[in-house]
Each structure stands twice: as structure tokens, then as C-alpha cells.
Amino acid sequence: MGSASSSYRVIYLDVEGRTQKVVFSRFCSPCDIKDLFCTALGVPRNTNLSLLDSSGAMVSIDPTMPHNTERSPYRVLPMTGGQLADKEELFQNVLTQVAEQFSRAFKINELKSEVTNRLAMLEKRVELEGMKVVEIEKCRTDIKKLRVEMASRNNSNFLEDTKKLTPRRDVPSYPKYMLSEQTIEALKKPAFDVWLWEANEMLSCLEHMYHDLGLVTDFNINPITLKRWLLSIHDNYKNNPFHNFRHCFCVTQMMYSMICLCSLQEKFTQVDILILMTAAVCHDLDHPGFNNTYQINARTELAVRYNDISPLENHHCAVAFQIFSQPDCNIFSSFDPEAFKQLRQGTITLILATDMARHGEILDSFKQKVDSFDFTDEEHATCLKMVLIKCCDISNEVRPMEVAEPWVDCLLEEYFMQSDREKTEGLPVAPFMDRERVTKPTAQIGFIKFVLIPMFESVMKLFPQIEEAMVQPLRESRDRYEELKQIDDAMNEVQKKKSESLTMGGKKK
């Protein structure tokens, strides 16, 4: 090809000292592009690759990757750790290894049936999703999490010494990813696809947000301290199905997009913006995967410590400021004591607002203020910030269907883990968390209709610009789940009539 049309991208690679030109469609998937690079490098397809620019910075392999020239080709390095073999064989090997580890480490014969069912569920998911490598990797994570969960059966106290809540000291910096212009622009939009990125890339995106909003400059934040703080944040999120570091990234990215979409920097002070972003980053730190109801009913150490009052949210705050107490991670070191006190109180207020038990109280307060809202009134401004973080915390259904729906699976998986434990321990089980009673449509319809849409429509009164980007997708999601429920109901009715018919036929005989 002499020249590529606008539908094609040209990237130059350094392959053992010679320059290799690679042409691909801008509609290619990252996996297809990696396969092309493998071919250019002469290594088997599906080999894990690392791409470096002339400065040594890592470059994401995706259709929006920055252009380069023959004079500045990217270096492509096969990553150590071997290549991905036949996908089904790989998955079977993973299951075999994990089964052996279960048998050796935990001796869980009495729980064999439960483990078998859970692994079968994971295996079925991979089968249904076309054996994608990325899904196999997610299953690895799920299985690892399951192993940790099984270990915790012997000791349900997740605050033991085995878990370090304080951040690591002298942690190495994560690789620097060069974000493309397309990625930088996409980050500002609610439709951003949060599933495409690895942990290091998400850390780089969070770092970019703090720089782009002017927070690093305005508050004299040491860029290295910012990196260390973000690494500590990452290390103190657990590998839960839902309440994990990717959820933290989702909530913060949605906050960033609201700041951009609603021009919040024109309405709030930079201190307010710093509080909004930091509360979003920290809002679920060290979440154990079991909600406040479980903590209170099981009388856990957290529930006892915080007198049954928002035990998880209080814990998230405590872990956040435990991290800030480390000099190497204190991005607020330039603040004087009085300013830090204001920042600390603001951050705590927002994290505590994410307790859904307070949803009605907070939204009612905002609705009373919204028609005569005054940004200069501190009480009004605080109430809006509380509603904003609440919106971001539960904003998955604002995103496109293909981005939002996997989160429903993740949440239900976490709910089912809790309800299974509650049944085992003889504790009350909420109907919406019971695997025998809940479906995706029933889980989502009421939540979207009675929680999400009313809250986002209230915010829309102040910021009409969110209607198209946020409220309309919520309405479409509600309609889609209602259609799915009608289909489910119709199928259940057919099944019921079939069963009745068989029963009547048996009686006649």
C-alpha cells in the first residue's frame, strides 16, 4: 500500500534493528492489532507484547494509538511469562491448578460441592462468551478471589494482620502510558468504555485527570507523590466482583466527565473539585464485598466499632486518611492545618453520603433546594456535592448497554456470595440478593425507575446539559429491561401452563 486512507492507520515498528510498517483498519480490535504485531515480530499469535516509544514510555495497543514515523518506530517486546496457547486448554489448566491448590492449602472436602458449582459457573461464562482471552483472565481473577473467600471462611474478620491497610513504602512507579488524544477526549464523556483498560492504564488515566483539572499545579502536589498515592489506592481495593479498583476508576471517571460536561469548575472552587475527585477515588477503599446490612446482622468488628452507623463508609474514610498519613502518599502536604481540616471534612462528608441507607434523606434535602439553588450558599453547595458523588457511585446504567450490563453480572455475583453466606450463617437474606429469586430485569427496573432517574432528573434542573448524555440513556435502559421482563414473564407463563397441563394429564390417567 502506498498510502493509507483515513480508514486505515499506519504504525512503524522496530523489529531487531529493521523498521517494519504495519497497516490496520481503525475499526480493528486491540486483539487484532496485537496479532498483526506478533506476525511482524515473527512470534506466535496471542503472545503478550509490550510497546515502547523512543523515550521508553509504554504505549497502549489499540486503534487510537498515537501516530509515529519511520524515524521514530515503536519497539515491540514479547512479554515474559510465556505465550497464550489454545484457549480452552489454557482454561482447563487453570482450573486444574486451582483445584490442586484448593486441595493442598485449604482441605475443603466439606465445601467441594460449592467450589465445583462456582467453578462450573465460571467455566460456563467463558463458554458463553466465546472463550475470549480477556474473559479467561477475568476468570483467573474470579478464581483467585474465590480462593481468598474460602480462606476467609476460617476467619471472617477481614481486619486481621494478614491484610495491610497501610500503603507500601518505596513502591516502584507504574509504567508510564502515553494516552492518545482520542483517549484523552473520550475520558471526558460518560460513554467511556471502562472495560478496555488494564490497572496501569487506569492509574495513568487518573493521574491525567488530576493534572488536566489543574489540581497538581494549583495545590503544589508533587507528581511523584501523586503516583505513589494512586498506587496505594490501587493496593487497598480488594478483588471483589463489583467493589474493586475498576469500580473506583468508573466512579472517578464519571465524576471527571460531570465536571467537564457541567463546567463545574466555573461553579465550584478548586478545593471543591479536589474534594469531589478525591472522595470518588477513595469512596470504597478496602470494601470487603459484604454490605452494611451483613456487617450489622453478623455483628462484625466494623459494625461494633462504628456502632452500626454506616460501618463500611466510615471504614473507607479511615483507610483513606490512614494512607494520607504516610508522608510518601500525602498529596495534601502543601495545605496548612486549617485548610487540611476543611479538605478532610469535605472528603469524609462525601464518602459517608454514598451509604444508600441515606439516599432518601439526601435527595429530599437537595430537591428542597434545587428550585432556588445558590452556589454561594455553603449548605447548598455541600448538598449538591453529596448528590454528585451519589450519582457517580451508581452511574453504570448511564453508560452504553455493552459497558453497563457486565456490571450487573458483577453486582449480582457479589450479592449472591453474600446471600449464600447469610443462609449458611442463619442471617436474614434480602430478596434482591437471593439467587433463587432475582433476575437481571427485576434487579434493575425498580432501581432505575425509582432511584436513578429521579436523582439524575433533579440534577438536570441545575444542569440541563446532562439530559442527552446521562438521563436519556437511563430512560432507554429502563425501557430495555422492561421489555426483557415482559419476555421473561411470557416464557414463565408458557412454562407454568405446560407444567399444569402435564399435572392434569397425570391425574386423568
Side-chain angles (χ1 to χ4, degrees), residues 19 30 48 66 76 81 89 108 125-126 135 180 232 235 242 251 376 404 416 448 457 474 477 508:
T19 302
N48 281 336
V76 191
E89 182 183 349
I108 51 168
R125 185 193 309 166
V126 173
E135 285 302 316
S180 67
S232 291
D235 288 349
F242 185 91
V251 175
T376 63
F416 296 159
I448 296 170
E457 285 183 340
L474 286 176
S477 180
K508 284 177 183 177

Side-chain angles (χ1 to χ4, degrees), residues 1-10 12 21-24:
M1 292 180 63
S3 63
S5 71
S6 60
S7 295
Y8 289 87
R9 302 290 312 280
V10 178
Y12 295 92
K21 177 179 174 183
V22 179
V23 181
F24 55 86

Side-chain angles (χ1 to χ4, degrees), residues 190-210:
F192 187 78
D193 189 344
V194 295
W195 294 106
L196 296 178
W197 313 94
E198 299 171 2
N200 287 337
E201 294 170 308
M202 289 188 280
L203 287 164
S204 289
C205 287
L206 292 172
E207 188 181 353
H208 167 78
M209 295 174 201
Y210 271 73

Side-chain angles (χ1 to χ4, degrees), residues 6 23 38 123 192 295 323 411 422 435:
S6 60
V23 181
C38 287
E123 190 172 19
F192 187 78
Q295 305 300 323
I323 293 173
L411 186 60
E422 287 169 333
R435 67 172 73 244

